[in-house]
Amino acid sequence: MKILVTGGTGYIGSHTAVELIKKGHDVVLLDNLYNSNVNVIKRIEKITGYCPEFYNVDILDKTNLKKVFEGNKFDAIIHFAGYKAVGESVSIPLTYYQNNIAGSLNLYEMMQEFGCNNIVFSSSATVYGDDFEVPFKESYGLGTTTNPYGTTKKFNEIILTDFANANHDISCVLLRYFNPIGAHESGLLGEVPNGIPNNLVPYIAKVASGELEYLRVFGNDYPTVDGTGVRDYIHVVDLARAHVLAIEYAVAHKGAEVINVGSGKGYSVLEVLHAYEKACGKELPYKILERRPGDIATCYADTKKAKELLGFEVEYDIEKMCEDSYRFTVMNPNGID
């Protein structure tokens, strides 16, 4: 199949491109390079032996987005393009709504106009909010989101479900991610956020490399094993494999389907820190700070549906996630250049 991957040079997008290429798909990447590097494409080629076509286009730029569709006949889309930092979204909500919702609407309109009927959407466990008991089940539906980032994911799920309900040729698989970490085992692909990272493992990586003095732990008074927030972490390569299976499912099944993608296990901030210490072979300093706005205490997935519908199960544990992350950090001290 010919598959458009928006946000394709980003962290999850690039790993997914590798897994799609390994399965023989014709992959086209689209990215505005806001939070990624064009040299990712060379690294994808080095890993796979295949150089995907690339468009430097912003999904908010409807004119140039349309040109991409005019020049290609896509069988399916995997939609990653969007801002993704919870804390930042609380500070600049309008930016998140504009990019993540208005930009996505442009993409969905192009799907409709050019007859591309299959899409896998990059959603998030944040759509559950803090209304439900863990493990989070897809049958819970949408909760009361606690930050604008999560709200943009919630709105996109509603939009795509309505789109599929109104057009019976449309197939949408809405993948609710938990927390992807790790890197490709080659050390060629990994997460390289701009500036100071907002997510836990990239921040720990910078502490391990000496770029940052200590890990900031936001709150140690949650009702968890050690008082720090508990999250479900999944290796980014496992997550990428899930997208390949989701595309195959989308082509074979019409309508909208929500599926959790996680490990089904919860790890606290300090447990992840200690796993990373094992990977890098040294103790890493940290400081306890106040809770961060928008965060919840515990979040992990019920993964039965992913296994039943996609045949998906994770292969890698938290130690492997941290090992691969640290290898990427050591091999790429200047990021992907």
Side-chain angles (χ1 to χ4, degrees):
M1 289 187 290
K2 190 168 193 177
I3 300 171
L4 175 65
V5 181
T6 72
T9 57
Y11 175 47
I12 305 173
S14 61
H15 286 83
T16 300
V18 167
E19 297 304 309
L20 289 168
I21 292 166
K22 285 168 61 177
K23 291 293 185 178
H25 295 295
D26 182 6
V27 176
V28 176
L29 307 180
L30 182 146
D31 205 300
N32 67 356
L33 303 177
Y34 167 79
N35 194 30
S36 62
N37 189 312
V38 72
N39 292 322
V40 163
I41 299 166
K42 296 177 183 177
R43 298 195 174 201
I44 292 173
E45 183 179 16
K46 189 170 182 179
I47 293 169
T48 65
Y50 173 92
C51 184
E53 188 173 4
F54 171 67
Y55 292 91
N56 183 356
V57 172
D58 193 313
I59 57 173
L60 286 170
D61 181 356
K62 196 169 184 179
T63 298
N64 282 312
L65 185 61
K66 185 172 184 176
K67 290 178 182 178
V68 174
F69 277 81
E70 288 172 341
N72 297 274
K73 177 61 177 176
F74 296 117
D75 298 296
I77 296 169
I78 302 180
H79 180 28
F80 295 108
Y83 298 150
K84 62 178 185 177
V86 168
E88 182 182 63
S89 78
V90 175
S91 301
I92 51 170
L94 295 184
T95 300
Y96 271 68
Y97 289 125
Q98 175 70 14
N99 186 79
N100 293 7
I101 296 176
S104 294
L105 282 170
N106 288 341
L107 182 68
Y108 307 151
E109 288 173 6
M110 292 301 103
M111 283 182 64
Q112 181 171 256
E113 182 173 346
F114 290 92
C116 177
N117 295 327
N118 305 298
I119 186 167
V120 172
F121 175 65
S122 167
S123 192
S124 168
T126 57
V127 301
Y128 290 111
D130 56 5
D131 296 338
F132 309 112
E133 293 183 358
V134 293
F136 291 149
K137 298 177 174 66
E138 295 90 344
S139 59
Y140 288 161
L142 295 165
T144 304
T145 48
T146 59
N147 54 76
Y149 163 75
T151 304
T152 67
K153 295 298 186 182
K154 178 178 178 177
F155 285 169
N156 268 283
E157 286 200 18
I158 293 169
I159 291 164
L160 284 169
T161 300
D162 288 344
F163 185 25
N165 288 340
N167 184 338
H168 298 305
D169 292 327
I170 295 296
S171 177
C172 307
V173 178
L174 312 173
L175 293 184
R176 291 180 180 168
Y177 305 168
F178 283 67
N179 292 269
I181 60 175
H184 195 270
E185 64 181 2
S186 67
L188 293 172
L189 293 176
E191 189 167 12
V192 188
N194 288 331
I196 296 176
N198 289 291
N199 295 327
L200 176 60
V201 171
Y203 202 104
I204 295 175
K206 287 189 176 292
V207 175
S209 68
E211 292 181 58
L212 294 173
E213 185 179 356
Y214 57 86
L215 173 66
R216 300 176 300 172
V217 178
F218 295 100
N220 68 341
D221 57 352
Y222 288 107
T224 63
V225 62
D226 55 23
T228 64
V230 169
R231 298 292 182 268
D232 183 331
Y233 294 93
I234 179 172
H235 197 294
V236 66
V237 173
D238 278 332
L239 180 58
R241 289 191 303 103
H243 285 81
V244 178
L245 296 170
I247 279 290
E248 294 169 354
Y249 183 89
V251 170
H253 301 82
K254 298 303 177 185
E257 194 71 65
V258 174
I259 303 175
N260 288 337
V261 188
S263 68
K265 298 178 181 178
Y267 299 96
S268 74
V269 172
L270 293 183
E271 286 174 330
V272 176
L273 175 65
H274 296 326
Y276 210 99
E277 289 175 330
K278 183 178 178 181
C280 68
K282 60 184 176 182
E283 189 173 327
L284 300 175
Y286 67 93
K287 289 186 179 181
I288 304 296
L289 304 177
E290 294 295 317
R291 292 186 183 190
R292 185 169 54 183
D295 279 348
I296 60 177
T298 303
C299 174
Y300 62 93
D302 183 309
T303 59
K304 293 186 185 72
K305 192 173 181 181
K307 184 176 181 180
E308 291 170 359
L309 297 189
L310 306 182
F312 173 74
E313 293 182 280
V314 298
E315 295 182 1
Y316 303 124
D317 59 17
I318 192 68
E319 286 76 19
K320 172 68 170 172
M321 298 179 214
C322 292
E323 287 169 10
D324 288 343
S325 171
Y326 184 62
R327 182 185 305 109
F328 175 78
T329 300
V330 170
M331 289 179 60
N332 301 272
N334 300 313
I336 294 176
D337 51 18

